[in-house]
Amino acid sequence: TWQDTYNRCCELKYMTDAPIIPHIAINNKDECELCFIIEKYLKNNFVEFFVIRGDRHYVDESKWLNYGTELINFIRERYPGVNIKSSIYPDYHKESITPEIDIFWLEKKCQLGVSELISQICLNKSAFSYIKRELGSKITITPSMMPLLNFKFIDYFLKSNSIDYPLWIQKKIRENNSTSHREIGIHITRFLIADYLKNENRLHFFTLNNSKIISEIFNNWNQ
């Protein structure tokens, strides 16, 4: 729930000097609820938000907010001092009819003053490079990665979000027995992270709330 996110963000804010950036998602909320949530954050000196539609939102044209750009515009008009980051799919959003339409809405986010676009997980570096070229230098675009360990989950997640699953990774997993999947997964994850960081100075990493795996991936980093 948003209350859980709010409480955790407040805990983290007082535990660390690192900037904490809460998610703000529509997820079928009305105007009053969204304003209430945002203002609670503002009262606790949160000045940046990651703004998205949300996976739990059901599009209904009778609702007053249905898309991420609408929520971004809503926040920008009411809270002009807030720094807004938002999302991008390097493989193009699964609901976009054409790549041109997807680019149109990404440019709309730029026009609304979004400071950074953080990608969904992208295993295809060329897709990320191409969409960066399409948008030019208008905005910072940050790639994302997650631990590649539970391959049944990875397969489901990528298919449900229309994200490319490179064949070389699938073959690498299939050719090794299940007992070595963890080791192979960590090896591939490290390779993909290092490959992105050759040209990028930022990386968004989904921890999946698993500190042990994060330690395994990043401790004794020799890339």
Side-chain angles (χ1 to χ4, degrees), residues 69 87-112 117 126-139 141:
T69 50
S87 58
I88 184 172
Y89 279 73
D91 296 288
Y92 302 116
H93 196 282
K94 60 184 178 182
E95 295 175 14
S96 294
I97 299 172
T98 67
E100 289 74 21
I101 290 175
D102 203 51
I103 293 295
F104 172 84
W105 289 113
L106 290 171
E107 289 181 335
K108 179 69 173 177
K109 289 182 178 182
C110 297
Q111 293 165 10
L112 290 170
L117 293 172
S126 60
F128 182 82
S129 298
Y130 184 80
I131 205 163
K132 281 190 71 174
R133 192 185 74 172
E134 289 290 283
L135 290 175
S137 58
K138 303 172 188 175
I139 190 167
I141 304 176

Side-chain angles (χ1 to χ4, degrees), residues 34-214:
L34 282 165
C35 286
F36 177 78
I37 293 168
I38 293 167
E39 287 166 17
K40 277 184 72 73
Y41 279 115
L42 293 175
K43 287 177 183 177
N44 280 278
N45 298 315
F46 289 92
V47 295
E48 295 182 283
F49 298 114
F50 182 70
V51 179
I52 55 175
R53 180 178 69 182
D55 294 333
R56 298 178 183 177
H57 183 77
Y58 299 100
V59 174
D60 181 347
E61 294 306 323
S62 66
K63 295 176 180 177
W64 65 282
L65 279 181
N66 275 303
Y67 299 102
T69 50
E70 294 175 339
L71 179 57
I72 291 167
N73 188 55
F74 170 79
I75 295 173
R76 178 61 66 220
E77 288 181 345
R78 288 160 180 76
Y79 310 100
V82 165
N83 183 24
I84 298 175
K85 302 175 186 290
S86 192
S87 58
I88 184 172
Y89 279 73
D91 296 288
Y92 302 116
H93 196 282
K94 60 184 178 182
E95 295 175 14
S96 294
I97 299 172
T98 67
E100 289 74 21
I101 290 175
D102 203 51
I103 293 295
F104 172 84
W105 289 113
L106 290 171
E107 289 181 335
K108 179 69 173 177
K109 289 182 178 182
C110 297
Q111 293 165 10
L112 290 170
V114 170
S115 64
E116 180 180 9
L117 293 172
I118 300 174
S119 86
Q120 184 53 277
I121 179 176
C122 184
L123 306 181
N124 185 343
K125 188 178 178 183
S126 60
F128 182 82
S129 298
Y130 184 80
I131 205 163
K132 281 190 71 174
R133 192 185 74 172
E134 289 290 283
L135 290 175
S137 58
K138 303 172 188 175
I139 190 167
T140 298
I141 304 176
T142 300
S144 286
M145 191 54 56
M146 67 167 62
L148 302 180
L149 299 176
N150 183 341
F151 289 97
K152 287 185 178 179
F153 166 75
I154 294 295
D155 185 60
Y156 165 78
F157 181 83
L158 298 180
K159 285 180 180 176
S160 63
N161 287 283
S162 298
I163 298 172
D164 180 44
Y165 193 177
L167 188 58
W168 73 268
I169 297 179
Q170 297 183 56
K171 286 185 175 181
K172 189 71 175 175
I173 299 307
R174 285 200 298 265
E175 73 183 18
N176 290 272
N177 62 54
S178 59
T179 58
S180 63
H181 278 186
R182 183 184 184 87
E183 182 180 342
I184 293 298
I186 291 175
H187 175 75
I188 294 174
T189 303
R190 283 177 166 174
F191 168 78
L192 293 171
I193 292 170
D195 198 41
Y196 269 122
L197 292 178
K198 286 177 184 175
N199 300 309
E200 309 294 334
N201 60 7
R202 289 176 64 79
L203 179 75
H204 176 251
F205 195 82
F206 292 91
T207 66
L208 305 183
N209 296 325
N210 191 331
S211 60
K212 184 177 179 181
I213 293 301
I214 304 310

